[in-house]
């Protein structure tokens, strides 16, 4: 009998160094999915890889074999790393995904960015031809649950995204961001959100750099900033106060030697670097340099933990909503496992939402 299997690791179980080794860029994802389908390791699969987690969801006949294969794929065997991975099966895996899409399992509680990450992960796997009946329904339902949560929470003044927490951290480093020159490296979803947050502060100057000049130009224009070519990265670092990196690069954009060279041309001026990328964009050794203050994604945790306390009532409400949605999904899931027909309505309470109303097989 087929079963859904999840093997993953996250900010709760693994360091940023371990997470970057286990991360999946799009090319690696497509290769893994193609090889897994062709080798009959699994029938369906989705890869979710973000700065906070890498999770492999797969459907197969023998969950034990599937789980073992997924573990080998996620991390090459190294002593002491076995406990970094977690494994869920069946409805436990479904409930976990619902919690992830709702932001409950994020470092920043109930953060909004993860929903888009789940959506893009599902679409990449679907477009690669790796999804099927179960993964399609489970991930579509998870997106529905995430949207319900966003509707419930609405707009909160408490920082509830990686971008907002990053700007909150920067705000603690300076008496006034209004006097700071800020550099944003990247033009993806997180970088765009970071730039938008800094723009609303406001700051004295906002610079955007990306390998794609067109993307940098569009992002800079949308936040009333200035775009610069990627080759000007070192030059812009010489004059900025805060630089936030969020790119999909699988290698360092800045080595420790690069940062040292920058610091030699800006003596006695501290440089604050926030690296939100996994894999990291900046060589961690750079933090040893004088007047360099390097923060990675895990260094946001203290600010995020403070927000968790302030959002306690909201978090409990979201947790109850996810639990209810998981319970309602159980009937469809068990029917699927038994090969029976079952309907699944996209609704909360008695109100049917404006989504496809029935999922059957």
């Amino acid at each position: 009998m087929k079963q859904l299997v999840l093997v993953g690791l996250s900010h709760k179980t693994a360091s940023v160094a371990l997470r970057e080794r286990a991360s999946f860029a799009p090319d690696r994802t497509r290769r893994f999915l193609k090889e897994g389908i062709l080798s009959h390791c699994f029938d369906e699969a989705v890869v979710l890889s973000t700065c906070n987690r890498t999770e492999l969801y797969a459907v197969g006949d023998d969950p034990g074999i599937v789980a073992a294969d997924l573990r080998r794929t996620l991390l090459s065997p190294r002593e002491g790393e076995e406990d970094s991975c977690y494994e869920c099966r069946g409805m436990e895996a479904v409930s976990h995904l619902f919690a992830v899409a709702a932001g409950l399992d994020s470092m920043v509680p109930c953060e909004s960015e993860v929903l888009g990450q789940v959506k893009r992960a599902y679409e990449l796997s679907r477009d690669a031809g790796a999804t099927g009946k179960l993964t399609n329904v489970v991930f579509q339902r998870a997106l529905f649950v995430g949207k319900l949560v966003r509707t419930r929470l609405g707009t909160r003044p408490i920082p509830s995204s990686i971008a907002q927490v990053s700007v909150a951290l920067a705000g603690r480093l300076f008496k006034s961001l209004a006097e700071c020159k800020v550099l944003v490296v990247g033009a993806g979803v997180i970088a765009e959100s970071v730039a938008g947050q800094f723009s609303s502060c406001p700051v004295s100057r906002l610079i955007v750099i990306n390998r794609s000049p067109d993307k940098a130009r569009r992002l800079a224009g949308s936040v009333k900033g200035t775009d610069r070519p990627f080759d000007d990265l070192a030059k812009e670092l010489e004059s900025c106060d805060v630089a936030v990196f969020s790119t999909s690069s699988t290698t360092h954009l800045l080595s420790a030697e690069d940062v040292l060279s920058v610091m030699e041309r800006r003596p006695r001026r501290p440089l604050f670097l926030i690296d939100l990328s996994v894999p990291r964009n900046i060589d961690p050794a750079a933090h040893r340099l004088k007047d360099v203050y390097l923060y990675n994604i895990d260094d946001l945790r203290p600010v995020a933990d403070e927000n968790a306390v302030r959002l306690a009532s909201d978090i409990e409400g979201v947790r109850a909503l996810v639990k209810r949605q998981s319970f309602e999904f159980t009937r469809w899931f068990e029917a699927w496992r038994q090969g029976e027909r079952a309907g699944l309505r996209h609704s909360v309470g008695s109100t049917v939402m404006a989504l496809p109303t029935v999922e059957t097989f």
Side-chain angles (χ1 to χ4, degrees), residues 23 54 60 63-64 123 126 136 189 201 218 268 282 296 325 349:
S23 65
T54 296
E123 290 174 345
R126 182 198 62 198
N136 283 333
V189 174
C201 286
R218 283 196 296 269
R268 296 181 296 280
I282 305 171
N296 63 43
Q325 290 295 318

Side-chain angles (χ1 to χ4, degrees), residues 3-4 88-98 138 322-323 325-334 337:
Q3 183 60 286
L4 175 66
C88 304
R89 300 181 185 182
M91 271 305 302
E92 184 183 6
V94 173
S95 297
H96 175 83
L97 177 60
F98 286 5
V138 167
V322 170
K323 184 176 181 180
Q325 290 295 318
S326 296
F327 177 78
E328 292 176 359
F329 190 79
T330 301
R331 176 176 169 272
W332 185 95
F333 185 81
E334 292 304 322
R337 293 203 69 208

Side-chain angles (χ1 to χ4, degrees), residues 7-325:
V7 172
L9 51 78
S10 75
H11 65 99
K12 293 183 176 180
T13 66
S15 67
V16 65
L18 187 53
R19 299 202 307 276
E20 68 184 359
R21 279 181 35 218
S23 65
F24 275 67
D27 286 345
R28 183 187 180 192
T29 295
R30 295 185 188 95
R31 186 167 59 252
F32 162 71
L33 294 172
K34 180 179 179 180
E35 292 173 353
I37 295 291
L38 290 177
S39 65
H40 303 289
C41 172
F42 46 73
D43 300 317
E44 311 173 26
V46 176
V47 176
L48 174 60
S49 185
T50 74
C51 57
N52 279 330
R53 74 188 62 253
T54 296
E55 295 182 343
L56 309 179
Y57 295 80
V59 179
D61 293 312
D62 190 324
I65 293 177
V66 172
D69 285 340
L70 296 183
R71 283 180 176 272
R72 283 192 294 269
T73 299
L74 192 60
L75 287 176
S76 56
R78 292 193 185 184
E79 186 177 356
E81 293 182 351
E82 294 83 1
D83 293 340
S84 298
C85 289
Y86 46 82
E87 179 182 329
C88 304
R89 300 181 185 182
M91 271 305 302
E92 184 183 6
V94 173
S95 297
H96 175 83
L97 177 60
F98 286 5
V100 169
L104 286 175
D105 202 55
S106 298
M107 181 187 299
V108 180
C110 299
E111 53 107 344
S112 56
E113 291 144 345
V114 69
L115 183 59
Q117 293 168 335
V118 172
K119 182 175 185 289
R120 289 188 293 276
Y122 166 61
E123 290 174 345
L124 176 59
S125 300
R126 182 198 62 198
D127 293 347
T131 62
K133 183 60 188 182
L134 181 60
T135 45
N136 283 333
V137 173
V138 167
F139 271 82
Q140 289 169 13
R141 190 67 172 186
L143 294 173
F144 167 73
V145 172
K147 291 175 182 177
L148 286 182
V149 170
R150 299 322 315 162
T151 300
R152 177 191 179 100
L153 292 177
T155 303
R156 290 290 191 274
I158 299 173
S160 58
S161 71
I162 292 293
Q164 289 175 313
V165 171
S166 300
V167 175
L169 173 62
R172 296 183 179 190
L173 302 175
F174 297 90
K175 291 183 179 179
S176 173
L177 288 176
E179 300 175 0
C180 293
K181 175 183 174 181
V182 175
L183 171 64
V184 175
V185 182
V189 174
I190 302 297
E192 181 178 355
S193 184
V194 168
Q197 291 294 323
F198 274 116
S199 177
S200 64
C201 286
V203 295
S204 69
R205 195 172 181 205
L206 182 58
I207 305 296
V208 177
I209 286 180
N210 190 59
R211 288 192 184 277
S212 167
D214 289 340
K215 290 182 179 180
R217 190 176 305 112
R218 283 196 296 269
L219 176 53
S222 69
V223 295
K224 299 180 180 179
T226 304
D227 61 289
R228 288 286 183 267
F230 188 81
D231 290 343
D232 283 359
L233 177 58
K235 179 181 177 182
E236 293 300 331
L237 284 170
E238 292 173 20
S239 59
C240 76
D241 299 293
V242 181
V244 182
F245 286 68
S246 179
T247 82
S248 58
S249 175
T250 57
T251 58
H252 292 152
L253 299 181
L254 285 179
S255 66
E257 291 75 16
D258 293 331
V259 179
L260 176 60
S261 179
V262 167
M263 298 309 293
E264 289 174 344
R265 294 192 291 275
R266 49 177 293 160
R268 296 181 296 280
R269 283 190 61 208
L271 175 61
F272 293 86
L273 302 171
I274 303 176
D275 189 352
L276 301 180
S277 304
V278 178
R280 286 168 286 185
N281 289 171
I282 305 171
D283 183 349
H287 86 279
R288 302 191 188 100
L289 299 175
K290 184 179 179 181
D291 292 329
V292 174
Y293 300 86
L294 174 59
Y295 300 84
N296 63 43
I297 186 74
D298 286 354
D299 295 323
L300 302 181
R301 194 183 303 274
V303 180
D305 288 345
E306 291 177 16
N307 294 341
V309 175
R310 298 163 67 189
L311 284 167
S313 61
D314 284 323
I315 292 172
E316 286 309 307
V318 170
R319 203 180 305 280
L321 185 154
V322 170
K323 184 176 181 180
R324 183 168 61 251
Q325 290 295 318

